[in-house]
Amino acid sequence: MALLLCTPGAALAVTGHYVPGVAEVKGSSVPPPGTYYRGYAVRYEINQLSDNNGNAVPGNNTGSVTALANRFIHITDKKFLNADYGFDIIIPILHNSLDFNISGIDSSDGGVGDIFVGPVILGWHGQQWDAVFASGVWFDTGSTSEPTSPGKGYKSTMITLGSTFYPDAAKTWSFSALSRYEINFDDDKGIDRGDSWLVEWGLGKRLDNGIQLGLLGYDGWQLEENTGGDSVPGKREKHALGLEASYFWPNLGFGMSAAYLNEYEVKNGPQGDLFRINMTKVF
C-alpha cells in the first residue's frame, strides 16, 4: 500500500491529475465570451493514510500540499452545437511535504507541476440552466525526481461534463454537479494507473447584498486497479463535504471565493482537510 500512497504528487487527486474541491458552487457555469484569469490557491493538510477499509494505517503519516493553479481561459464569440466555444490552459505550482512513517518518507519539494491544455470548452446557457462539456490533456512536464516532486510522471486525458440548475427565476438559488473522467496513461515506472471518475457538487444561495453562500462536496472513485510495474491491489476513493462563501465586484471585474472541505471518508490514500481561495479576473 505504501507505494500506491506515496507516488509523486499522489496526495490530492483520486487518480490522475485533477484536484478535487477546487470547483465553486456553480462550477458547471461557463462565463460569457471574454478572457479570464483564475487562480486556485489550495492548502491540503494530510491527517492520516487510510487503508482499503477507510481506517488509519499505523504510525504517524502526515503532510501537506500547497498549490497555486494558474488557469487562463478564453471564451470566444463563436458557436458550436449552439454552445459558446472556448479553450484554456492550467499551469500549477506546488510544494509538497510528506512525513510518512509507514514508507520512511520524510522530505519536501516543489516547482512547476504537470501542465494542462484544454482545446475544447463548450458552454450552453438556458433560461434557468447552464451546461458544460470540455476535454483536454495533462502533460507530464513536472519533475518526478523525488517522492515529493510536483510531477506525476504520466499523461492523462480529462473529459468534463456538468450542469447548473436555478430553481427560481431570479437565479438566487443554484445546484451544480460537475463530473471529471480521467483516462491515465502508463507512468515512467511502468504502472498503468486506473481511470477515475469525480463528481463535484454545490448548492448555493445568493443574498441580497451579492454574497453567495454554499454547501459543496466531492465524491471520487478509482474505477480500475493499477496494473504493471510495482503496483499493489486496491482502488482509491474520496468523499468530502464543506462550505463556501464568494463575492464578485462588477466594477473591478474581480471575484473571490473561499472554501473549506473535510474528507470524511477515504480508501487507499491520504485523508485530510482542504482549504482554498479562488481568484477571478476578467480582462
Side-chain angles (χ1 to χ4, degrees):
M1 177 173 59
L3 292 173
L4 173 65
L5 297 173
C6 303
T7 52
L12 282 165
V14 181
T15 62
H17 291 78
Y18 181 78
V19 175
V22 299
E24 297 177 341
V25 164
K26 293 190 287 186
S28 298
S29 298
V30 174
T35 301
Y36 304 83
Y37 166 78
R38 303 207 73 187
Y40 305 87
V42 175
R43 175 75 174 185
Y44 180 63
E45 295 284 348
I46 301 170
N47 302 320
Q48 67 180 50
L49 298 179
S50 298
D51 61 18
N52 193 55
N53 296 315
N55 300 319
V57 302
N60 179 52
N61 301 288
T62 60
S64 65
V65 179
T66 304
L68 174 62
N70 301 283
R71 185 183 182 195
F72 303 90
I73 310 165
H74 182 65
I75 306 298
T76 72
D77 57 2
K78 307 299 182 182
K79 294 284 188 178
F80 181 75
L81 298 178
N82 205 35
D84 294 333
Y85 166 75
F87 48 88
D88 67 341
I89 182 172
I90 301 173
I91 304 173
I93 301 172
L94 302 93
H95 184 271
N96 303 316
S97 179
L98 302 179
D99 183 7
F100 290 170
N101 290 167
I102 191 172
S103 57
I105 291 179
D106 184 5
S107 67
S108 61
D109 195 13
V112 178
D114 295 340
I115 293 174
F116 176 80
V117 177
V120 177
I121 300 175
L122 298 177
W124 291 268
H125 305 283
Q127 185 173 358
Q128 287 182 243
W129 59 270
D130 297 317
V132 62
F133 170 85
S135 65
V137 176
W138 292 95
F139 291 93
D140 51 346
T141 54
S143 169
T144 60
S145 59
E146 301 292 336
T148 49
S149 292
K152 289 180 176 288
Y154 58 92
K155 301 179 181 69
S156 299
T157 296
M158 185 168 72
I159 300 170
T160 299
L161 183 66
S163 186
T164 302
F165 295 95
Y166 304 95
D168 59 324
K171 296 184 177 181
T172 63
W173 285 94
S174 65
F175 177 76
S176 175
L178 184 67
S179 66
R180 314 268 192 182
Y181 189 92
E182 285 194 77
I183 303 168
N184 302 308
F185 297 90
D186 291 1
D187 69 12
D188 53 12
K189 296 182 180 179
I191 297 176
D192 182 9
R193 298 184 175 276
D195 297 348
S196 63
W197 181 50
L198 173 76
V199 177
E200 297 173 281
W201 57 269
L203 175 65
K205 169 62 176 178
R206 190 182 74 245
L207 307 180
D208 292 340
N209 58 9
I211 295 174
Q212 179 167 270
L213 303 176
L215 176 70
L216 73 169
Y218 57 80
D219 302 276
W221 299 266
Q222 183 178 357
L223 303 179
E224 305 153 335
E225 290 190 354
N226 299 341
T227 58
D230 54 3
S231 60
V232 295
K235 294 185 288 187
R236 184 173 293 184
E237 188 174 325
K238 280 178 172 276
H239 304 277
L241 187 65
L243 300 171
E244 179 187 88
S246 64
Y247 189 79
F248 186 79
W249 293 265
N251 58 323
L252 300 176
F254 180 76
M256 292 189 68
S257 71
Y260 162 74
L261 294 104
N262 169 255
E263 292 181 333
Y264 60 86
E265 183 181 2
V266 171
K267 295 182 180 179
N268 293 313
Q271 181 171 345
D273 299 293
L274 185 142
F275 306 84
R276 68 147 168 87
I277 295 176
N278 290 357
M279 298 158 284
T280 301
K281 174 60 182 174
V282 184
F283 295 99

